[in-house]
Amino acid sequence: MNQGQYPGNQGYPNQQGYPNQQGYPQQGYPQQLNQGYNQGYPQQQNQGYNQGYPQQMNQGYNQGYQHGYLINGQPVQPPVQKKSLKGLIIGLSVGLGSLLLIAVILFIAFIGKADDKDFESSSSHSSSKEKDEDKDKDEDEDKGFDKEYFTSYDWVGLNDTALIIAEPDNTFIWYRDGDNKDGDYYSGTFKLYVGDDAADYLLNDSEVKDKITNDDLVEMENPQYGATRENLVCIALTNEEEVHYGKKAEYDEDEQITTSLYGYFVNDRDGEKLTLVAYGNPYEFNLVPEEKED
């Protein structure tokens, strides 16, 4: 306030901000306190909120009901506020959603783990099976062709109906037609040579030793089809008996003739087979193994 605003005094009558009982001038404020409500100081300290007392004294007046203040001299209880369920519902929804998400993640992890176990089990089984097959294959390859293998099967002509039956006691019978065992045949004993032993026999002890050379054997080889020195085979057949066109003949020891069949034991598109020739004979004998008849 500026000095001289109120008539009769310069500002408030004393230094404390309130007029004393004699300090109200007759020309400015009303004589009675109860008459100057709208013009000077308010009648009561709690009235004239916007005209007299500073706002600091009446802070919370309009909010007093929330703190137990009086309104018009009467105590007022704070109204009971209704709690909203909206937040609770949202919280429960978020919680349930999180639990559901965790359950889904755990389920997917469990399924994935089970699939991994099944895959590992299947892979292990497949790997084991492949190893067994490779082992069997290696054993077959290591076993090669020998007397045991030769006498374990009957040997059937691939291009004709010939049949050779060899026995572990080194006897054999060769049917001209395997489907007619009452027909022509040769029988006697045999000797089997494989690899270098076959080459040595052919070049040094066979009936054709003076007719065949090592160069001839090398020229026969064809590694692409398995025809190598390692797979070279020679079967020396000594005829002791025969039936030829229905006539039977037996030979004494000094009459017996040995015929050396030589060639290769291969495994090609026809499977395992013996491909044999006799020296001077253009005919090629192709024999494949079959299970022996009981």
Side-chain angles (χ1 to χ4, degrees):
M1 292 182 189
N2 297 324
Q3 292 182 357
Q5 181 177 353
Y6 294 102
N9 287 302
Q10 296 178 354
Y12 285 100
N14 55 30
Q15 299 298 323
Q16 297 177 352
Y18 288 97
N20 55 30
Q21 294 181 359
Q22 288 96 11
Y24 284 104
Q26 299 296 322
Q27 292 89 354
Y29 286 94
Q31 295 180 358
Q32 297 181 0
L33 294 174
N34 291 332
Q35 294 176 356
Y37 177 79
N38 294 320
Q39 299 173 351
Y41 282 97
Q43 296 177 359
Q44 297 181 1
Q45 291 183 356
N46 286 333
Q47 294 178 354
Y49 173 79
N50 293 320
Q51 298 174 350
Y53 287 96
Q55 294 182 4
Q56 286 85 351
M57 296 181 63
N58 284 322
Q59 284 181 355
Y61 177 81
N62 293 325
Q63 302 170 349
Y65 69 91
Q66 295 181 359
H67 304 283
Y69 286 6
L70 300 177
I71 296 180
N72 294 329
Q74 299 296 325
V76 176
Q77 296 295 330
V80 179
Q81 295 183 353
K82 293 183 180 180
K83 294 183 178 180
S84 175
L85 296 179
K86 183 177 180 180
L88 179 60
I89 294 173
I90 294 175
L92 290 175
S93 299
V94 172
L96 291 175
S98 299
L99 290 176
L100 180 60
L101 178 61
I102 293 173
V104 170
I105 293 174
L106 292 176
F107 178 75
I108 294 175
F110 175 78
I111 295 298
K113 188 174 182 181
D115 290 341
D116 289 342
K117 288 183 177 180
D118 292 340
F119 176 75
E120 290 175 0
S121 176
S122 177
S123 299
S124 176
H125 178 72
S126 298
S127 178
S128 177
K129 184 177 180 180
E130 290 175 357
K131 288 181 179 179
D132 291 340
E133 290 177 351
D134 292 341
K135 183 178 179 182
D136 293 340
K137 184 177 180 181
D138 291 340
E139 289 178 352
D140 291 341
E141 291 178 351
D142 293 341
K143 185 175 181 180
F145 186 82
D146 56 13
K147 177 184 174 182
E148 181 182 357
Y149 188 87
F150 181 55
T151 59
S152 296
Y153 297 93
D154 291 341
W155 294 86
V156 179
L158 184 63
N159 308 117
D160 53 31
T161 58
L163 171 65
I164 297 177
I165 300 174
E167 301 295 347
D169 62 356
N170 284 75
T171 60
F172 80 94
I173 182 169
W174 186 335
Y175 293 100
R176 186 186 298 272
D177 183 358
D179 297 329
N180 181 19
K181 292 185 175 59
D182 294 329
D184 295 350
Y185 67 86
Y186 296 93
S187 67
T189 60
F190 74 89
K191 290 182 180 179
L192 177 67
Y193 304 93
V194 179
D196 289 334
D197 292 338
D200 183 66
Y201 170 77
L202 285 169
L203 297 174
N204 300 299
D205 299 316
S206 73
E207 76 279 9
V208 293
K209 62 182 179 181
D210 298 327
K211 300 176 183 178
I212 191 170
T213 66
N214 187 62
D215 289 340
D216 294 331
L217 297 179
V218 172
E219 193 174 319
M220 289 176 57
E221 293 178 1
N222 190 343
Q224 182 177 356
Y225 296 98
T228 63
R229 178 61 62 94
E230 183 181 2
N231 294 326
L232 179 64
V233 174
C234 179
I235 305 173
L237 303 173
T238 300
N239 294 337
E240 297 178 354
E241 179 181 301
E242 71 171 322
V243 173
H244 185 62
Y245 291 108
K247 293 181 179 181
K248 184 176 181 179
E250 295 181 359
Y251 303 102
D252 295 332
E253 186 174 351
D254 59 347
E255 298 176 326
Q256 294 173 359
I257 298 175
T258 298
T259 302
S260 297
L261 301 177
Y262 57 94
Y264 297 93
F265 175 72
V266 298
N267 189 348
D268 59 13
R269 63 183 181 182
D270 297 320
E272 294 179 337
K273 70 178 180 181
L274 280 169
T275 300
L276 306 174
V277 296
Y279 184 83
N281 187 335
Y283 189 79
E284 184 177 270
F285 302 92
N286 290 297
L287 304 166
V288 295
E290 283 191 359
E291 296 292 335
K292 282 185 173 290
E293 298 180 358
D294 295 334

